[in-house]
Protein backbone atom coordinates (compact mmCIF):
# COMPACT_ATOMS: atom_id res chain seq x y z
CA UNK A 1 0.00 0.00 0.00
CA UNK A 2 1.53 3.33 -1.03
CA UNK A 3 -0.10 5.63 1.51
CA UNK A 4 0.75 8.75 3.44
CA UNK A 5 -0.82 10.80 6.23
CA UNK A 6 -1.51 14.50 5.90
CA UNK A 7 -2.77 16.95 8.50
CA UNK A 8 -4.31 20.28 7.57
CA UNK A 9 -2.86 22.26 10.48
CA UNK A 10 -4.73 24.82 12.61
CA UNK A 11 -3.42 27.87 10.74
CA UNK A 12 -4.71 26.48 7.45
CA UNK A 13 -8.06 25.58 9.01
CA UNK A 14 -8.42 29.06 10.49
CA UNK A 15 -7.51 30.71 7.19
CA UNK A 16 -10.00 28.65 5.22
CA UNK A 17 -7.33 26.86 3.19
CA UNK A 18 -8.30 23.25 3.86
CA UNK A 19 -10.07 22.81 0.54
CA UNK A 20 -7.23 24.44 -1.39
CA UNK A 21 -4.62 22.19 0.24
CA UNK A 22 -6.57 18.98 -0.23
CA UNK A 23 -7.48 19.98 -3.79
CA UNK A 24 -3.83 20.44 -4.76
CA UNK A 25 -2.92 16.97 -3.52
CA UNK A 26 -6.02 15.44 -5.08
CA UNK A 27 -5.37 17.09 -8.44
CA UNK A 28 -1.92 15.48 -8.56
CA UNK A 29 -3.71 12.16 -8.66
CA UNK A 30 -3.51 11.04 -5.06
CA UNK A 31 -6.69 9.40 -3.81
CA UNK A 32 -8.35 10.20 -0.51
CA UNK A 33 -8.81 6.86 1.25
CA UNK A 34 -9.57 8.25 4.72
CA UNK A 35 -10.50 11.63 6.18
CA UNK A 36 -11.70 13.07 9.47
CA UNK A 37 -12.05 16.32 11.36
CA UNK A 38 -10.61 16.04 14.85
CA UNK A 39 -9.19 18.08 17.67
CA UNK A 40 -5.86 16.47 18.63
CA UNK A 41 -5.24 16.20 22.35
CA UNK A 42 -1.84 16.63 23.97
CA UNK A 43 -1.22 12.88 24.20
CA UNK A 44 -1.83 12.31 20.48
CA UNK A 45 0.25 15.37 19.56
CA UNK A 46 3.18 14.13 21.66
CA UNK A 47 3.01 10.69 20.05
CA UNK A 48 2.72 12.09 16.55
CA UNK A 49 5.68 14.44 17.07
CA UNK A 50 7.67 12.12 19.40
CA UNK A 51 10.76 12.40 17.18
CA UNK A 52 10.97 16.11 18.02
CA UNK A 53 10.77 15.68 21.80
CA UNK A 54 13.51 17.68 23.52
CA UNK A 55 13.86 20.23 20.69
CA UNK A 56 13.20 23.88 21.58
CA UNK A 57 10.16 24.06 19.32
CA UNK A 58 8.52 20.90 20.73
CA UNK A 59 6.18 22.57 23.24
CA UNK A 60 5.11 25.37 20.87
CA UNK A 61 4.54 22.71 18.21
CA UNK A 62 2.30 20.62 20.50
CA UNK A 63 0.43 23.76 21.63
CA UNK A 64 -0.05 24.80 18.01
CA UNK A 65 -1.24 21.46 16.63
CA UNK A 66 -3.73 21.09 19.51
CA UNK A 67 -5.02 24.67 19.25
CA UNK A 68 -8.00 23.97 16.99
CA UNK A 69 -9.71 21.19 15.03
CA UNK A 70 -7.70 19.89 12.10
CA UNK A 71 -8.31 17.56 9.16
CA UNK A 72 -6.40 14.28 9.02
CA UNK A 73 -6.41 12.40 5.74
CA UNK A 74 -4.80 9.34 4.24
CA UNK A 75 -3.75 9.68 0.61
CA UNK A 76 -2.91 6.79 -1.66
CA UNK A 77 -1.02 6.69 -4.94
CA UNK A 78 2.35 6.25 -6.61
CA UNK A 79 5.17 7.48 -4.34
CA UNK A 80 2.55 9.16 -2.15
CA UNK A 81 5.07 10.22 0.52
CA UNK A 82 7.40 11.96 -1.95
CA UNK A 83 4.62 13.39 -4.10
CA UNK A 84 2.88 14.82 -1.05
CA UNK A 85 6.08 16.30 0.36
CA UNK A 86 7.09 17.97 -2.89
CA UNK A 87 3.57 19.35 -3.30
CA UNK A 88 3.82 20.74 0.29
CA UNK A 89 7.26 22.32 -0.17
CA UNK A 90 10.12 22.78 2.31
CA UNK A 91 9.43 22.82 6.08
CA UNK A 92 10.33 26.52 6.26
CA UNK A 93 7.88 28.37 4.01
CA UNK A 94 10.54 31.02 3.36
CA UNK A 95 12.56 28.33 1.58
CA UNK A 96 9.62 26.56 -0.05
CA UNK A 97 9.34 26.99 -3.81
CA UNK A 98 6.56 28.99 -5.42
CA UNK A 99 3.87 26.62 -6.59
CA UNK A 100 4.12 24.57 -3.41
CA UNK A 101 1.52 24.83 -0.65
CA UNK A 102 3.94 26.25 1.90
CA UNK A 103 5.65 28.49 -0.68
CA UNK A 104 2.36 29.94 -1.88
CA UNK A 105 0.60 30.40 1.47
CA UNK A 106 3.16 30.45 4.27
CA UNK A 107 5.81 32.63 5.85
CA UNK A 108 6.54 31.22 9.33
CA UNK A 109 8.07 27.80 10.05
CA UNK A 110 5.79 27.43 13.07
CA UNK A 111 2.72 28.07 10.88
CA UNK A 112 3.41 25.98 7.83
CA UNK A 113 -0.11 24.84 7.03
CA UNK A 114 0.28 21.12 6.43
CA UNK A 115 1.93 17.95 7.68
CA UNK A 116 2.96 15.04 5.48
CA UNK A 117 4.72 11.84 6.58
CA UNK A 118 8.42 11.76 5.72
CA UNK A 119 8.88 8.05 4.87
CA UNK A 120 6.68 5.04 4.10
CA UNK A 121 7.61 3.54 7.50
CA UNK A 122 6.57 6.66 9.38
CA UNK A 123 3.46 6.95 7.20
CA UNK A 124 2.29 3.51 8.38
CA UNK A 125 2.90 4.44 12.02
CA UNK A 126 1.21 7.83 11.69
CA UNK A 127 -1.80 6.44 9.81
CA UNK A 128 -2.30 3.92 12.64
CA UNK A 129 -2.30 6.77 15.19
CA UNK A 130 -5.21 8.51 13.46
CA UNK A 131 -7.22 5.79 11.68
CA UNK A 132 -8.41 2.26 12.30
CA UNK A 133 -8.25 -0.06 9.25
CA UNK A 134 -12.07 0.04 9.06
CA UNK A 135 -11.96 3.80 8.52
CA UNK A 136 -9.94 3.47 5.30
CA UNK A 137 -11.25 2.48 1.88
CA UNK A 138 -9.16 0.75 -0.73
CA UNK A 139 -9.00 1.54 -4.40
CA UNK A 140 -8.43 -0.93 -7.19
CA UNK A 141 -6.62 0.33 -10.24
CA UNK A 142 -8.34 -0.70 -13.49
CA UNK A 143 -6.22 0.64 -16.40
CA UNK A 144 -7.14 4.33 -16.16
CA UNK A 145 -9.78 4.29 -13.48
CA UNK A 146 -9.82 3.76 -9.76
CA UNK A 147 -12.65 1.71 -8.35
CA UNK A 148 -13.64 1.89 -4.71
CA UNK A 149 -13.62 -1.64 -3.32
CA UNK A 150 -15.09 -0.97 0.10
P1 LIG B 1 8.02 18.70 8.33
O1 LIG B 1 6.66 19.13 8.86
O2 LIG B 1 8.38 19.39 7.05
O3 LIG B 1 8.16 17.20 8.25
P2 LIG B 1 9.71 18.54 10.71
O4 LIG B 1 11.18 18.78 10.71
O5 LIG B 1 9.24 17.13 10.86
O6 LIG B 1 9.11 19.22 9.40
O7 LIG B 1 9.09 19.43 11.87
C1 LIG B 1 7.76 19.23 12.30
C2 LIG B 1 7.11 20.57 12.45
O8 LIG B 1 7.70 21.26 13.53
C3 LIG B 1 7.25 21.51 11.25
O9 LIG B 1 6.30 21.29 10.25
C4 LIG B 1 7.08 22.86 11.91
O10 LIG B 1 5.68 23.15 12.12
C5 LIG B 1 7.73 22.66 13.26
N1 LIG B 1 9.13 23.07 13.24
C6 LIG B 1 10.18 22.40 12.71
N2 LIG B 1 11.33 23.09 12.88
C7 LIG B 1 10.99 24.20 13.56
C8 LIG B 1 11.75 25.32 14.05
O11 LIG B 1 12.97 25.41 13.90
N3 LIG B 1 11.02 26.28 14.72
C9 LIG B 1 9.68 26.21 14.91
N4 LIG B 1 8.95 25.18 14.46
C10 LIG B 1 9.59 24.19 13.79
MG1 LIG C 1 8.22 15.78 9.73
Amino acid sequence: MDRTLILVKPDAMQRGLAGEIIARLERRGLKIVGMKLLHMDEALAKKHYAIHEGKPFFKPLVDYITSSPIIAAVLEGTKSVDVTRNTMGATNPVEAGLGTIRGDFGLEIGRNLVHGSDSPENASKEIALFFSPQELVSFKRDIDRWIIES
Side-chain angles (χ1 to χ4, degrees), residues 40-50 58 61-63 65-66 130:
M40 286 172 74
D41 62 16
E42 194 182 324
L44 178 58
K46 284 182 167 169
K47 266 191 218 160
H48 175 69
Y49 281 125
F58 184 68
L61 178 59
V62 169
D63 290 347
I65 204 73
T66 58
F130 288 85

Side-chain angles (χ1 to χ4, degrees), residues 52 85 115 118:
H52 297 299
R85 290 203 51 110
H115 167 83
D118 64 6

Side-chain angles (χ1 to χ4, degrees), residues 67-148:
S67 66
S68 83
I70 59 158
I71 290 172
V74 179
L75 304 178
E76 183 176 311
T78 305
K79 293 256 178 196
S80 60
V81 166
D82 293 343
V83 167
T84 296
R85 290 203 51 110
N86 64 37
T87 305
M88 285 162 46
T91 302
N92 189 341
V94 168
E95 287 154 17
L98 288 179
T100 68
I101 294 165
R102 288 163 167 174
D104 286 351
F105 300 114
L107 205 52
E108 305 299 333
I109 193 168
R111 296 289 182 272
N112 61 0
L113 301 125
V114 62
H115 167 83
S117 309
D118 64 6
S119 68
E121 296 70 32
N122 286 337
S124 298
K125 289 184 201 157
E126 292 177 1
I127 289 167
L129 278 181
F130 288 85
F131 292 89
S132 65
Q134 295 74 27
E135 290 174 316
L136 303 174
V137 300
S138 60
F139 282 81
K140 186 174 155 198
R141 191 165 189 167
D142 178 15
I143 308 181
D144 59 351
R145 296 181 305 155
W146 293 79
I147 298 166
I148 297 176

